[in-house]
Amino acid sequence: MKKSFWSPFLSALTPYTAGEQPQDRRYVKLNTNENPYPPSPKVKEALAAFSVDRLRLYPSPDADLLRDAIAEAEGVSRENVFCGNGSDEVLALCVPAFFKGGRGAAFADITYSFYPVFCDFFSVSYTQVPLKEDYTMDLAGLGKADADGVFFTNPNAPTGIGVGLEETEKFVAENPGKLIVADEAYMGFFGQSALPLTKKYPNLLVVKTFSKYYALAGIRCGYAVGNEALIRGLFAAKDCFNSYPVDALCQAVCAAAVGDKAYYAAAAEKVKSERSRLRAELVRLGFFVPESASNFLFAGHEKGGEFIYRGLKERGVLVRFWNTEKLKKFCRITVGAPEENDALLSALREML
């Protein structure tokens, strides 16, 4: 009998499940919220200019080149910026940095499903606050939760519903004793970022990613912006785990991307236009679809999410489905390019 070398701790954990990446055929891939448009041309220029000889050397351990580019783009100082391998790593480091040894974290019951995984991995307690009946965030409930801080996804996933800047500021201001980690992975498609508020509120940390808005999901980079004390905490956690998280090539590419505001704003407008068209068509087909502030739609149907998911997959279209009590009627559908959205709608019309 083979011996398992897994620790009891690891054996008891339930890891995060990423969106499927099947290789059996070519699919219209609308299940992982990738940007349907390519990165900025400046990214290609940065790749072409990058010297391969630099790869024999360690990168800047604090990603200073990229921090400077982000600071300039976001209107803050380098000392207010932290970078990691994707926003997932940044969010994960928040747990031991700010929540371990205290009252733990709070977040919605329907939100980014990595939060409970992070907390379980670092043995941090957490409280889940149900969404309201209309699937909006219960900010008052999150504020009342007995926790050291809150993971606040805006726009929320998988619902796509956004919270306006005025309401976000009210929430942060009313909870000065709680750290508010605003996970803004999809904020580029909404335009109500709380990042400027980090200059005013020491209890606010805004986390962003290059995967969605910047169309760089394949390079894995994310960042946080907050006051210097919070950023120093993230660096302390990082340096206990991985001293050189962001490689030199990634720093060069992402620095080029964050500086091309005009290109990405135009691309986001195309996504938002398709988002409106796709939502209207889904509603005509009998779906319940809340207004989305992200690059995906949360689409519920009386036939159930599994029926929609399986029928679409048979027809070569991938969407995301969660077989849970609260989500089983829904699928999450990425807003693709026009031809991808047309393929989705054609398959749905055939099914329904």
Side-chain angles (χ1 to χ4, degrees):
M1 180 178 180
K2 291 185 178 179
K3 173 180 172 61
S4 172
F5 292 95
W6 285 29
S7 69
F9 168 75
L10 184 63
S11 299
L13 293 178
T14 302
Y16 172 77
T17 302
E20 63 182 322
Q21 308 278 356
Q23 304 297 316
D24 59 310
R25 61 184 286 189
R26 185 176 179 85
Y27 289 91
V28 175
K29 194 165 176 287
L30 302 177
N31 66 324
T32 49
N33 297 342
E34 292 138 325
N35 196 320
Y37 301 106
S40 159
K42 291 185 179 180
V43 167
K44 188 174 182 179
E45 293 172 10
L47 282 170
F50 187 84
S51 172
V52 175
D53 186 56
R54 289 175 60 189
L55 296 180
R56 67 185 178 83
L57 303 172
Y58 281 107
S60 162
D62 295 341
D64 287 338
L65 180 151
L66 179 54
R67 290 171 71 206
D68 285 342
I70 292 169
E72 182 177 354
E74 299 285 17
V76 296
S77 299
R78 176 199 285 185
E79 291 72 25
N80 301 117
V81 181
F82 174 86
C83 297
N85 285 312
S87 59
D88 286 340
E89 182 177 72
V90 179
L91 292 165
L93 290 173
C94 286
V95 177
F98 307 123
F99 300 131
K100 193 170 178 66
R103 295 174 298 156
F107 40 84
D109 65 335
I110 298 176
T111 191
Y112 188 31
S113 55
F114 227 143
Y115 301 148
V117 178
F118 293 147
C119 290
D120 286 341
F121 186 79
F122 289 106
S123 300
V124 168
S125 62
Y126 58 88
T127 301
Q128 292 178 293
V129 178
L131 295 183
K132 297 180 181 179
E133 289 188 7
D134 61 357
Y135 296 96
T136 58
M137 196 82 72
D138 182 3
L139 294 181
L142 286 169
K144 293 175 183 176
D146 185 21
D148 293 314
V150 173
F151 284 108
F152 166 48
T153 313
N154 189 28
N156 195 18
T159 67
I161 298 173
V163 176
L165 183 56
E166 184 177 339
E167 189 176 357
T168 297
E169 180 170 12
K170 183 174 181 288
F171 174 56
V172 175
E174 289 178 347
N175 293 279
K178 282 186 167 68
L179 174 63
I180 309 300
V181 181
D183 180 355
E184 295 190 348
Y186 301 99
M187 184 53 73
F189 306 102
F190 185 29
Q192 297 275 325
S193 178
L195 193 145
L197 300 179
T198 59
K199 299 177 182 180
K200 184 177 179 181
Y201 297 99
N203 64 319
L204 175 63
L205 185 74
V206 173
V207 179
K208 295 193 176 188
T209 180
F210 283 93
S211 296
K212 313 300 183 182
Y213 181 72
Y214 290 106
L216 290 170
I219 208 161
R220 311 308 304 130
C221 191
Y223 62 95
V225 175
N227 73 41
E228 291 184 38
L230 294 176
I231 298 303
R232 286 198 304 271
L234 286 173
F235 274 113
K238 182 266 289 185
D239 288 335
C240 293
F241 177 68
N242 180 7
S243 293
Y244 299 91
V246 185
D247 65 72
L249 179 60
C250 178
Q251 289 186 47
V253 166
C254 291
V258 78
D260 198 351
K261 292 185 177 182
Y263 174 85
Y264 284 107
E269 287 303 314
K270 290 191 285 186
V271 171
K272 288 189 278 188
S273 176
E274 277 298 291
R275 181 178 72 195
S276 296
R277 179 178 79 92
L278 184 56
R279 179 178 181 273
E281 292 298 323
L282 289 172
V283 170
R284 287 191 188 97
L285 287 170
F287 285 85
F288 164 72
V289 189
E291 287 283 358
S292 175
S294 61
N295 71 331
F296 59 85
L297 295 168
F298 185 56
H301 198 276
E302 61 181 6
K303 290 183 177 291
E306 186 171 10
F307 171 83
I308 300 298
Y309 160 75
R310 294 192 181 281
L312 286 173
K313 188 173 182 179
E314 289 171 3
R315 292 162 176 80
V317 180
L318 289 179
V319 297
R320 191 78 191 265
F321 165 66
W322 291 269
N323 191 19
T324 66
E325 185 60 32
K326 288 191 174 183
L327 295 176
K328 64 183 181 181
K329 289 185 178 180
F330 291 87
C331 286
R332 191 194 66 194
I333 304 172
T334 304
V335 177
E339 60 274 15
E340 293 174 313
N341 299 329
D342 288 342
L344 166 78
L345 292 169
S346 177
L348 286 172
R349 291 186 186 108
E350 181 181 311
M351 290 168 55
L352 299 173

